[in-house]
Amino acid sequence: MLNFEFYNPTKIIFGKGTVPQIANNIPKTAKILVLYGGSSAEKTGTLKEVRTALTDHQFEEFGGIEANPTFETLMRAVDVVRSNNIDYLLAVGGGSVVDGTKFVAAAADFEGDAWDILKTHGQNITSALPIGVVLTVPATGSEMNSFSVITKASTSEKLGLSSPLVFPKFSVLDPTKAYTLSEKQIANGVADSFVHILEQYLTYPSEALAQDRFSEGLLVSLIDIGPRIVKDRENYDLQSNLMWIATLALNGLIGAGVPQDWSTHMIGHELTARYHIDHARTLVSILPAVLRVRKESKRLKLLQFAERVWGIHEGTDDERIEAAIEKTAAFFEALGIPASLRSYEIDEAGVDAIITQLEQHNMVALGEKQDVTLDVSRKILVESL
Amino acid sequence: MLNFEFYNPTKIIFGKGTVPQIANNIPKTAKILVLYGGSSAEKTGTLKEVRTALTDHQFEEFGGIEANPTFETLMRAVDVVRSNNIDYLLAVGGGSVVDGTKFVAAAADFEGDAWDILKTHGQNITSALPIGVVLTVPATGSEMNSFSVITKASTSEKLGLSSPLVFPKFSVLDPTKAYTLSEKQIANGVADSFVHILEQYLTYPSEALAQDRFSEGLLVSLIDIGPRIVKDRENYDLQSNLMWIATLALNGLIGAGVPQDWSTHMIGHELTARYHIDHARTLVSILPAVLRVRKESKRLKLLQFAERVWGIHEGTDDERIEAAIEKTAAFFEALGIPASLRSYEIDEAGVDAIITQLEQHNMVALGEKQDVTLDVSRKILVESL
């Protein structure tokens, strides 16, 4: 096992009917800004429920945070925070709203150009406003971690920040809030969680028994519920499991003490920035190619993945690995998500453009062994076409 | 899944060579009391390492906290805290030292009879001193939870407290610190962790996929490493896995959203109080009887346990359950721990005495369905003889 630090102070309030508990978890004296995304928070009634819960609190609202939240929009929220002396942020929505709220929390007190926060990946902040979350989309894990990814619309740059200062103080996870999501949104959430787990699991062995078993347990569970939940979205058992699994997939636990990859995410971010493909779909589109191109480096864990997650015991090592990759791709296709770039009409010139972006963002040594050079990324992209 | 709250703010600093990091995790201005147990902390050099790390801090020391730490000893530590204006506690040891330190933290500022803290199970405290931990024994999980169990020597009462105020701020988990433990201590740690997991897993199904898979993963891992580590105690891979598994077994994670039992612990506490049997050994001595006596109530989870943890697929339901219980007992016996009360020379009069203690402590409706009455506890104890 590798040495590690694990710290996660977010309080999770989980279950049906828990939204009113936000009132007891925010100081009565707080001046709150409620941040949300599009019109769905209003239409589904979640925003109304939040307003009712906050009857005895002072609050303002800021809507319109988009998927892949932009620096430009969020800086307008920072202005609202500053001009209203806001001292508590409540994110109501999915990963984009939570990520955006984390950036607002960090930028509110920041002096100078707030884009510098992202350029230093959050290392230059010394304070942040407290954050609460009412989660409506199970997918990114942002509700229980210290990460945030923000896009600058003017330059199509997508950068991440990570700081213990932006852990939510609490997150309300009511699985019924996900009932109104579309089949595509739920499928994306399953896929996003699945790839989060693989980025922390499919590397090389590090004698971390619990972490491996936890990752495998989450993967097996997603394989169990994924194809069912996209068709049965008002099933509490399925939604509650997806919501908790998505949180556990990226709260630091399964990644503690093990090598981590994240090359699929880094390449995926460039695909989203250039082609506006949903985040989860970019991951799925290149994942089989990542596993095939990097098969030698990941051989031992791919064999473990084949055996423990997919129950594949027959065939040579190479056959079992290929069978596991095929089953993984078929799992995503069954969710309605293409497991290649074919359907996005990207050609070799598009690959060149993505490689240029990776180079511009210094993504030239990715992966658990930092050996995913631009040449390897190119091979992955070409293999995905 | 049941509704739940999960909150665990303890920072884990894990790995070889991490003891010096205590210095960066305790404020420079703190007046520290270092609490420890017997002479082993001195002999193994851990205490020396702690003193070296604290060169730039002010600290006092308090040794002599016993296994099953007593109220009487700990109140002497409270006197030291008060007379030296101590404002930070550092526990160096295993679960008993950590449990004892939590009580001292709660009692330091408490007005009135501090035994009342335990009578109310910690519900009447409003503050506690901050705690850091250097763990030397993988077993109880106290290093990352809010629980503590204290014994009043004068009356042989053993009571627990639980309060979010006593979560350690940080815990240093250096697996090499466990190298000097005896075969018996390590075996006890494996057994204690195993039973902690079962108390949260072997109840009835609650559609909690991740929690079940996590519990099963920890159990399978303990079955893998248990018999090896007792013979190979300076093996870093084995010790690092045991230490992290023991922590995960009782940090609130696998118990979130599922029913919990804890009857084995409650009966076991009475056996320790009366017969001074090691905590872990009391659990093992009655566990097979608990599972046999309560087979109908636990049937579905026992079948799942047989299949997923022990890989038993053949035979009738009853045969598979009995095989799983036999394998569990054999696992403990292979660690050198008797899986019955036979070796402790307890007779039917002894059973009467334990039942009387359970009654005195109001332990009359135990288990995940509160249906472990004194009659059921008696059946369990008689079956264990």
Side-chain angles (χ1 to χ4, degrees):
Chain A
M1 202 181 305
L2 308 178
N3 282 15
F4 67 86
E5 280 197 8
F6 176 80
Y7 171 65
N8 194 321
T10 300
K11 176 179 174 181
I12 297 294
I13 301 161
F14 192 99
K16 207 179 285 194
T18 48
V19 172
Q21 295 190 36
I22 57 177
N24 318 323
N25 284 279
I26 304 178
K28 284 280 173 280
T29 54
K31 288 201 70 176
I32 306 166
L33 184 63
V34 177
L35 299 102
Y36 59 97
S39 55
S40 64
E42 192 81 69
K43 268 188 271 176
T44 58
T46 303
L47 212 45
K48 192 178 165 197
E49 217 181 325
V50 166
R51 287 178 193 133
T52 304
L54 295 180
T55 303
D56 295 334
H57 284 80
Q58 279 189 73
F59 66 96
E60 304 288 331
E61 297 184 8
F62 183 91
I65 297 177
E66 54 282 85
N68 305 303
T70 65
F71 175 72
E72 289 82 353
T73 298
L74 298 168
M75 287 310 292
R76 289 194 291 111
V78 170
D79 287 342
V80 174
V81 166
R82 288 176 179 165
S83 54
N84 291 274
N85 295 315
I86 297 291
D87 57 15
Y88 209 106
L89 305 181
L90 181 66
V92 179
S96 294
V97 175
V98 182
D99 276 17
T101 300
K102 288 174 177 173
F103 174 74
V104 174
D109 286 338
F110 189 80
E111 293 182 13
D113 180 0
W115 186 247
D116 285 346
I117 296 172
L118 289 155
K119 280 196 188 159
T120 66
H121 306 293
Q123 297 315 296
N124 62 350
I125 62 169
T126 54
S127 69
L129 295 182
I131 298 169
V133 173
V134 174
L135 189 71
T136 60
V137 187
T140 71
S142 189
E143 63 279 7
M144 198 186 185
N145 68 35
S146 56
F147 312 128
S148 163
V149 179
I150 305 297
T151 300
K152 200 170 195 174
S154 60
T155 58
S156 290
E157 282 174 283
K158 195 168 182 179
L159 291 178
L161 79 87
S162 169
S163 165
L165 295 166
V166 300
F167 273 112
K169 299 292 173 206
F170 70 86
S171 284
V172 169
L173 276 57
D174 180 342
T176 68
K177 297 294 148 204
Y179 284 181
T180 52
L181 295 175
S182 68
E183 182 171 335
K184 183 177 174 181
Q185 285 172 307
I186 288 290
N188 282 353
V190 172
D192 200 16
S193 305
F194 200 95
V195 181
H196 286 160
I197 302 161
L198 287 189
E199 296 270 36
Q200 299 165 85
Y201 166 73
L202 260 183
T203 57
Y204 54 85
S206 63
E207 294 287 345
L209 302 183
Q211 293 90 322
D212 276 7
R213 294 286 181 184
F214 281 14
S215 290
E216 289 154 359
L218 296 178
L219 293 169
V220 165
S221 300
L222 284 175
I223 290 165
D224 174 12
I225 65 175
R228 291 191 287 143
I229 194 171
V230 291
K231 299 293 177 201
D232 188 12
R233 299 193 296 283
E234 299 195 12
N235 179 318
Y236 188 77
D237 287 339
L238 295 175
Q239 286 285 12
S240 58
N241 278 296
L242 177 58
M243 195 168 261
W244 190 221
I245 288 167
T247 301
L248 292 168
L250 198 53
N251 75 345
L253 184 73
I254 61 171
V258 299
Q260 302 193 19
D261 182 346
W262 299 106
S263 61
T264 303
H265 270 73
M266 293 306 121
I267 301 170
H269 284 172
E270 303 301 348
L271 287 163
T272 297
R274 185 168 186 87
Y275 295 106
H276 309 289
I277 305 168
D278 291 352
H279 170 63
R281 289 175 179 241
T282 65
L283 306 177
V284 170
S285 72
I286 59 170
L287 182 72
V290 167
L291 300 183
R292 288 194 178 104
V293 168
R294 302 188 57 210
K295 185 169 82 169
E296 290 318 315
S297 177
K298 292 180 181 294
R299 174 171 287 273
L300 291 172
K301 285 307 270 289
L302 279 166
L303 287 166
Q304 184 176 323
F305 175 61
E307 183 180 332
R308 294 193 189 169
V309 175
W310 290 110
I312 300 166
H313 307 290
E314 309 278 303
T316 65
D317 286 4
D318 283 328
E319 286 165 355
R320 297 204 305 283
I321 289 172
E322 183 53 31
I325 297 172
E326 280 170 16
K327 275 179 180 281
T328 304
F331 167 70
F332 292 127
E333 298 274 358
L335 296 172
I337 306 180
S340 78
L341 284 170
R342 241 154 283 152
S343 44
Y344 302 109
E345 300 182 11
I346 296 172
D347 57 11
E348 299 247 356
V351 170
D352 288 343
I354 296 298
I355 294 296
T356 302
Q357 283 173 226
L358 283 167
E359 191 169 12
Q360 280 166 353
H361 298 146
N362 202 28
M363 299 292 170
V364 297
L366 303 174
E368 65 272 22
K369 291 176 182 165
Q370 293 85 51
D371 59 358
V372 180
T373 59
L374 291 177
D375 279 350
V376 178
S377 290
R378 180 182 295 278
K379 269 189 203 142
I380 289 166
L381 286 161
V382 170
E383 170 90 20
S384 307
L385 292 180
Chain B
M1 200 180 308
L2 308 179
N3 282 15
F4 67 85
E5 280 196 9
F6 177 80
Y7 171 65
N8 194 320
T10 300
K11 177 178 173 182
I12 297 294
I13 302 162
F14 191 100
K16 206 179 282 192
T18 48
V19 172
Q21 294 190 37
I22 58 176
N24 318 325
N25 283 280
I26 304 178
K28 284 281 174 281
T29 54
K31 286 201 72 177
I32 307 166
L33 183 64
V34 177
L35 300 101
Y36 60 96
S39 54
S40 64
E42 191 80 70
K43 268 188 271 176
T44 58
T46 303
L47 214 45
K48 192 178 166 198
E49 217 179 323
V50 166
R51 288 178 191 131
T52 304
L54 295 180
T55 303
D56 295 333
H57 284 80
Q58 278 189 73
F59 66 95
E60 305 289 330
E61 297 183 8
F62 182 90
I65 298 177
E66 55 281 83
N68 304 306
T70 66
F71 175 73
E72 289 82 352
T73 299
L74 298 168
M75 286 311 292
R76 289 195 290 112
V78 170
D79 288 341
V80 175
V81 167
R82 288 175 179 166
S83 55
N84 291 274
N85 296 314
I86 297 291
D87 58 15
Y88 208 107
L89 304 181
L90 181 67
V92 179
S96 295
V97 174
V98 181
D99 275 17
T101 301
K102 288 175 177 173
F103 174 74
V104 174
D109 286 337
F110 189 80
E111 292 182 14
D113 179 1
W115 186 247
D116 284 346
I117 295 172
L118 289 154
K119 280 196 188 158
T120 66
H121 305 294
Q123 297 314 297
N124 62 350
I125 62 169
T126 54
S127 69
L129 295 182
I131 298 168
V133 173
V134 175
L135 189 71
T136 60
V137 187
T140 72
S142 190
E143 62 278 8
M144 199 186 184
N145 66 36
S146 56
F147 313 128
S148 162
V149 180
I150 305 297
T151 301
K152 199 171 196 175
S154 60
T155 58
S156 290
E157 282 173 284
K158 195 167 183 181
L159 292 177
L161 80 87
S162 169
S163 166
L165 295 166
V166 300
F167 274 112
K169 299 291 174 207
F170 69 87
S171 285
V172 168
L173 276 58
D174 179 342
T176 67
K177 297 294 147 204
Y179 284 180
T180 52
L181 296 175
S182 69
E183 183 171 334
K184 183 177 174 180
Q185 285 171 306
I186 288 290
N188 282 354
V190 172
D192 199 16
S193 305
F194 200 93
V195 182
H196 287 160
I197 302 161
L198 287 189
E199 297 269 37
Q200 299 164 86
Y201 167 72
L202 258 183
T203 58
Y204 54 85
S206 63
E207 295 288 345
L209 302 183
Q211 293 90 322
D212 276 7
R213 294 286 181 184
F214 281 14
S215 290
E216 289 153 0
L218 296 177
L219 293 169
V220 165
S221 300
L222 284 174
I223 291 165
D224 174 14
I225 65 175
R228 292 190 286 144
I229 194 172
V230 292
K231 300 292 177 201
D232 188 12
R233 299 192 297 282
E234 300 195 11
N235 179 318
Y236 188 77
D237 287 338
L238 294 175
Q239 287 284 12
S240 57
N241 278 296
L242 176 58
M243 194 168 262
W244 190 221
I245 288 168
T247 302
L248 292 168
L250 198 53
N251 75 345
L253 184 73
I254 61 171
V258 299
Q260 302 194 18
D261 183 347
W262 299 106
S263 61
T264 303
H265 270 73
M266 293 306 121
I267 302 170
H269 284 171
E270 303 301 349
L271 286 163
T272 297
R274 183 168 187 90
Y275 295 106
H276 309 290
I277 305 169
D278 293 351
H279 170 62
R281 288 175 181 242
T282 65
L283 307 177
V284 170
S285 71
I286 59 170
L287 181 73
V290 167
L291 301 183
R292 288 193 179 105
V293 168
R294 303 189 57 212
K295 185 170 80 169
E296 290 317 317
S297 178
K298 292 179 181 293
R299 175 171 286 274
L300 291 172
K301 286 307 273 286
L302 279 165
L303 287 166
Q304 185 175 323
F305 175 60
E307 183 179 332
R308 293 195 190 167
V309 175
W310 290 111
I312 298 166
H313 307 289
E314 309 279 304
T316 65
D317 285 3
D318 283 328
E319 285 165 356
R320 297 204 304 285
I321 288 172
E322 182 54 31
I325 297 173
E326 280 171 16
K327 275 179 181 282
T328 304
F331 167 69
F332 291 128
E333 298 274 358
L335 296 173
I337 306 180
S340 78
L341 284 169
R342 241 153 283 153
S343 43
Y344 301 111
E345 300 182 10
I346 297 172
D347 57 11
E348 300 247 355
V351 170
D352 288 342
I354 297 297
I355 294 296
T356 302
Q357 283 173 226
L358 283 167
E359 193 169 11
Q360 281 166 353
H361 298 146
N362 201 28
M363 299 293 170
V364 297
L366 303 174
E368 65 271 24
K369 292 177 182 164
Q370 293 85 52
D371 59 357
V372 180
T373 60
L374 291 177
D375 278 351
V376 178
S377 290
R378 180 183 294 279
K379 268 189 204 141
I380 289 166
L381 286 161
V382 170
E383 169 90 21
S384 308
L385 292 180

